[in-house]
Amino acid sequence: PHHWTARLPLPSGLKFTLHLVLASATSSSPPSDAATLQRRAAEARERVKRFLEDNDVFFNGAAEVGGAPLGIPQAWSVDNLDAAKRAQNQRTLSGVAHIMKEY
């Protein structure tokens, strides 16, 4: 497939950028209609925003990672030390990936 990218901000309060990749198995050129590209990007952003309202990603606090094998870098890992939070993180990331695959 061929890929085109567009960088878009996520909803306010989230400190990440949504890197949208639109893929097509049938065309080697990006969509020529800028309005269509913007509409699809807005749809993807809105769907991710709605999904994240009920699906969080949990990070360990700095105080929690003192004895962790990774130390302070553990605080930035989605592999939370708590098994239930780690599983929730995987569900959340899988859900976002599923939405993005549609675009």
Side-chain angles (χ1 to χ4, degrees):
H2 305 282
H3 297 87
W4 306 275
T5 64
R7 289 192 180 271
L8 302 167
L10 280 177
S12 63
L14 297 177
K15 307 274 192 257
F16 299 96
T17 299
L18 177 62
H19 190 87
L20 178 62
V21 177
L22 301 178
S24 170
T26 60
S27 174
S28 61
S29 59
S32 60
D33 182 359
T36 299
L37 180 60
Q38 288 297 322
R39 180 185 50 77
R40 288 177 50 80
E43 286 173 10
R45 186 174 49 238
E46 185 59 32
R47 285 192 58 202
V48 169
K49 178 183 173 183
R50 282 194 317 265
F51 179 79
L52 290 176
E53 288 174 0
D54 297 319
N55 296 279
D56 296 317
V57 174
F58 298 95
F59 295 96
N60 293 109
E64 297 175 273
V65 299
L70 290 178
I72 294 300
Q74 175 65 47
W76 294 101
S77 176
V78 295
D79 289 328
N80 196 292
L81 296 173
D82 179 286
K85 289 179 181 177
R86 185 172 49 251
Q88 175 59 45
N89 288 351
Q90 291 302 319
R91 285 190 298 273
T92 297
L93 294 174
S94 292
V96 170
H98 178 77
I99 292 168
M100 298 310 299
K101 283 181 182 180
E102 295 178 23
Y103 293 90

